[in-house]
Amino acid sequence: MISSLDNSSQQLTSETILLEVKNLVTAFDTDAGQVTAVDDVSFSIQQGQTLGIVGESGCGKSVTALSIMRLLPQPMGHLLGGKILFKGQDLATFPIEEMRKIRGGQIGMIFQEPMTALNPVHRIGKQLSEVFLLHQDITNEEAFTKAIELLDKVGIPSPQIRIKEYPHQLSGGMRQRVVIAMAIACKPALLIADEPTTALDVTIQAQILELLKELQQEMGMSTILITHDLGVIAETCDEVVVMYAGRVAERGSVYDIFENPKHPYTQGLLASIPRLEDERKTCMQTIEGMVPGLLDLPSGCRFQNRCPLREDKCAERQPPEEQIGPDHYVSCFRHSET
Amino acid sequence: MLDTNHLLEVKNLKTYFPVRSGIFLTAQAQCKAVDDISFSLQAGETLGLVGESGCGKSTLGKTIARLIKPNNGSIHFQNTDITTLGRKKLKPLRKDIQMIFQDPADSLNSRHSISNILEEPFIIHGIGNAKHRKKRVCELMKKVGLQANAIDRFPFEFSGGQRQRIGIARAIALNPKLIICDEPVSALDVSVQSQVLNLLMDLQKEMQLSYLFIAHDLAVVKHISDRIAIMYLGKIVEMGEADDIYQRPRHPYTRALISAIPTPDPRKKSKRQILVGDVPSPINPPSGCPFHTRCPHVQDICRTKLPLLRNTAETDQKKHTVACHFDL
């Protein structure tokens, strides 16, 4: 496994890259016309690493995850362009039957709300062993034994009893552990976690993040963690992608993003988090204005109406993504002045 | 003796909900949502109330606003006992105690225009004529940073942050003295959250408001509060000055809460103190100290004897109380 500290100096080679997303474009049909929720998004993730995707509601982070899994709501969701290279194969062109084998097998997914991710009318055991039965050639009894082992692995006490219970009998934290168990059942190479702790309390969030970290180290899998919480990103991720209104504003190592942010949006976001060590009752830094709607995006840079560094050029065309470090990329005309 | 400086004084407040089951829906047990809580609030002060889901913080807020009737204890507001006042007698008081709710999409009537929503408090309390009300609504919009010409629009036409501003405008319409803010920024994105917090702090200065600020995010609460109370299973386990709570937390639960907050600094991947287990059910709380099932310092006494709030060892002018048997 690649250690998290020396990854920035490591050259990106095709052997270590597990997933590479290239120029992904995803759109939805709505009553008011087609909206592009994800526009020209590119990033890559190496084996054993954690990539964080951070951004505010509606920035396209969840749609990116659904696009990778090919789980876009039908018939209104469309993958309009780009490549999703997973172990060298392009998932964007995979037939649906092949994709079913990948989901839950090679790529696991954890959803935000553990209550809706579990079926309320089936016992935990049935839902868990289903994963094994779908992806492996084993008997019901073997699958059930494996399910009990799995519950034990994700830290659920007395798994023999819990396995016979229904989702509503478990607490929020327990349910999320079950969802994690389902996602890692077939030892996936990639785990996509979409806001896995947002619905949980801080003390339970700490438990779940710790569990994910342990499992990742043990199984050597890569993780994509989608969250709006910069604190969670800083604690768990190696690489970070900052998204704004469907585009990547900035991406780089966690140290690039937190210690040397170059995009005015990243800087504004970092400045507006309340921190415990701040002086009390002082005026907090904000980003003025609000996110533009996807239906009436400005031409040019999408952050221009809130940007302190806006100039005429920003309204005319999209700033291209420029490489400014070993793997630090930013989409801003004025990144050298920030 | 009641201290006349206090705007709000809560003593031994208890709010229990019956848990009904069986075909006759008889009360089988009680959910002790708010269990023996006492505190006071000065004019112009902000008290932050922090705790995890189900600890009773919202019930406490609603009980103080007298949306729920308490079972026991007393609530004094401006030296008037409001614990058992009826509907009619409460009405003039409602002008002085207002609430801001978590989800502005749910708390604004989607079929009413913004001017209708903001006018309603004036109509209910019979203040001014139509022309005067309209003028006041426009003033309120400006005060919370919205454009006055947007008053004929409907809630769905606004973003989350703007809707919360409308919720705030409605709460301050009648110049209240106390506003109970129930998770006012939890549903908002970070960049908008700081805008709303700034607005709340500006309004407090301008209008001499007192806030009871309920939230689960300790960093937000610490920023806006003068004092903080930490709740666990219906009880206050620690209360003190905001900086004091953060710098010298005394209760093991407070410490765990602080250590569980992820810090936005990748070099501080500190070893966190992680609590085991879940919050027990308030229907069947543990004996003795409610926190003993998850406490890393648990002793025999904790399992049998309930610790009361007491002053911490180095008592000084700053009051800092903690409900733990030990000086940790």
Side-chain angles (χ1 to χ4, degrees), chain A residues 73-98:
Chain A
Q74 294 302 327
M76 56 283 203
H78 306 286
L79 210 62
L80 290 186
K83 287 195 164 86
I84 304 162
L85 297 170
F86 177 69
K87 293 185 171 173
Q89 291 173 294
D90 190 1
L91 296 186
T93 57
F94 257 44
I96 253 357
E97 301 78 53
E98 289 297 309

Side-chain angles (χ1 to χ4, degrees), chain A residues 56-57 171 201 203-205 207 231 234-235 259 272 276 278 280-282 284-285 287 289-290 306, chain B residues 52-53 159 189 191 194-195 198 201 204 222-226 243 262-263 267 269 272 275 277-278 294:
Chain A
E56 298 178 279
S57 1
S171 68
D201 282 314
T203 60
I204 308 297
Q205 164 172 292
Q207 293 174 1
E235 296 226 349
E259 290 167 1
S272 50
L276 274 173
D278 282 353
R280 280 192 310 112
K281 291 213 157 183
T282 48
M284 291 178 61
Q285 291 226 27
I287 306 176
M290 53 180 184
R306 307 174 79 185
Chain B
E52 295 181 279
S53 23
S159 70
D189 279 315
S191 70
S194 48
Q195 293 174 359
N198 280 344
M201 289 190 285
Q204 177 167 47
K222 196 224 145 202
H223 193 89
I224 198 168
S225 305
D226 299 294
D243 290 318
T263 37
R267 296 204 193 268
K269 285 178 181 166
R272 267 183 275 156
L275 287 179
D278 287 311
R294 302 172 83 195

Side-chain angles (χ1 to χ4, degrees), chain A residues 164-196:
Chain A
K164 292 185 192 127
E165 291 188 341
Y166 289 93
H168 76 266
Q169 291 171 288
L170 305 179
S171 68
M174 289 282 190
R175 272 182 227 144
Q176 197 58 295
R177 282 173 196 267
V178 173
V179 174
I180 291 173
M182 287 169 75
I184 61 155
C186 295
K187 300 199 168 51
L190 176 67
L191 180 69
I192 302 179
D194 187 1
E195 306 260 10

